[in-house]
Amino acid sequence: MTEETPGFEEQPDVPSEAAQTPDDAAKGAGSADKAGPAAPAGDLEQVALQAQLDQVRTALSERTADLQRLQAEYQNYRRRVERDRVTVKEIAVASLLSELLPVLDDIGRAREHGELVGGFKSVGESVEAVSSKLGLQQFGKEGEPFDPLVHEALMHSYAPDVTETTCVQILQPGYRIGERTIRPARVAVAEPQPGATAKGGEGEAAAPDEESGGPEEG
């Protein structure tokens, strides 16, 4: 027989994992917690990059809008400068040609009287050519309707052969540059005879009585 030592009992084998103390289990849990946040860190970095990209896009849109606005303002500025330049040029040319109008009037009168001959004829035609080249246009013709915007009536009469106020004589031609009138045409005008209009009105008024056959007898 085998003798057994009193006070000692055999214990079953315990697996190593079960043999861990509570402190070891806590350390293991802490290590697992530290390893877990690695994936969310990448997401945060991506979010930050997306936010930066949005800021860059917003700044680019603002700068593009500023550039477009500046370009539009520059184009408007160029148009204003060009318009002002043309206006100043027209005013300067009109002022110069206004001083030449008496000379042109003398040349016209000399031509009407047959005195535009020789060297004076050559000079006169050169002055007229230069004036025309600068845009000066002569207007005013006999028989055209009177327009107070471009005509200045110096003489007035009545005529039976006109139906409206008409320019019957050009005393001094008018001049314009483009749409700008430098000097109105000075004219003599004629109006219809007042009696002719009244007679015509009476004749027209009498016609219905003739057609009606007069008043009916009672």
Side-chain angles (χ1 to χ4, degrees):
M1 293 181 64
T2 305
E3 295 181 359
E4 295 180 358
T5 305
F8 292 93
E9 295 181 357
E10 294 182 0
Q11 297 180 353
D13 295 334
V14 180
S16 58
E17 295 180 357
Q20 291 180 348
T21 62
D23 294 338
D24 294 337
K27 290 180 180 180
S31 299
D33 293 340
K34 291 181 180 179
D43 295 340
L44 292 175
E45 183 177 357
Q46 185 176 2
V47 170
L49 290 175
Q50 185 65 36
Q52 293 179 358
L53 180 60
D54 293 341
Q55 291 178 356
V56 171
R57 287 176 177 173
T58 302
L60 179 61
S61 299
E62 293 176 353
R63 299 300 178 271
T64 303
D66 293 341
L67 180 60
Q68 292 175 347
R69 183 167 55 254
L70 288 175
Q71 186 175 7
E73 291 177 356
Y74 176 68
Q75 293 296 335
N76 293 334
Y77 169 76
R78 287 187 59 185
R79 283 193 289 267
R80 287 196 303 270
V81 170
E82 182 64 19
R83 184 172 60 251
D84 294 344
R85 186 184 67 82
V86 172
T87 302
V88 170
K89 180 181 177 181
E90 289 180 352
I91 293 174
V93 172
S95 177
L96 172 62
L97 293 177
S98 297
E99 300 297 328
L100 289 178
L101 295 185
V103 178
L104 295 174
D105 292 337
D106 292 339
I107 294 173
R109 282 191 291 267
R111 181 180 288 109
E112 291 176 358
H113 292 85
E115 299 176 356
L116 193 64
V117 295
F120 181 55
K121 178 180 180 181
S122 177
V123 172
E125 291 177 348
S126 297
V127 172
E128 290 176 338
V130 171
S131 302
S132 178
K133 186 177 180 180
L134 291 175
L136 185 67
Q137 299 175 354
Q138 185 182 101
F139 66 91
K141 295 181 180 180
E142 294 182 2
E144 64 185 7
F146 175 76
D147 184 354
L149 297 178
V150 295
H151 297 139
E152 181 181 353
L154 301 182
M155 299 176 63
H156 176 270
S157 63
Y158 294 97
D161 57 343
V162 298
T163 58
E164 60 180 343
T165 305
T166 305
C167 301
V168 295
Q169 184 180 0
I170 306 301
L171 305 176
Q172 200 173 47
Y175 290 95
R176 67 164 63 98
I177 297 179
E179 300 297 328
R180 183 192 300 271
T181 299
I182 297 180
R183 186 183 73 185
R186 290 163 182 169
V187 300
V189 299
E191 291 182 344
Q193 291 282 0
T197 304
K199 290 178 181 179
E202 291 176 358
E204 293 177 358
D209 292 336
E210 294 177 358
E211 293 178 358
S212 62
E216 297 180 357
E217 297 181 358

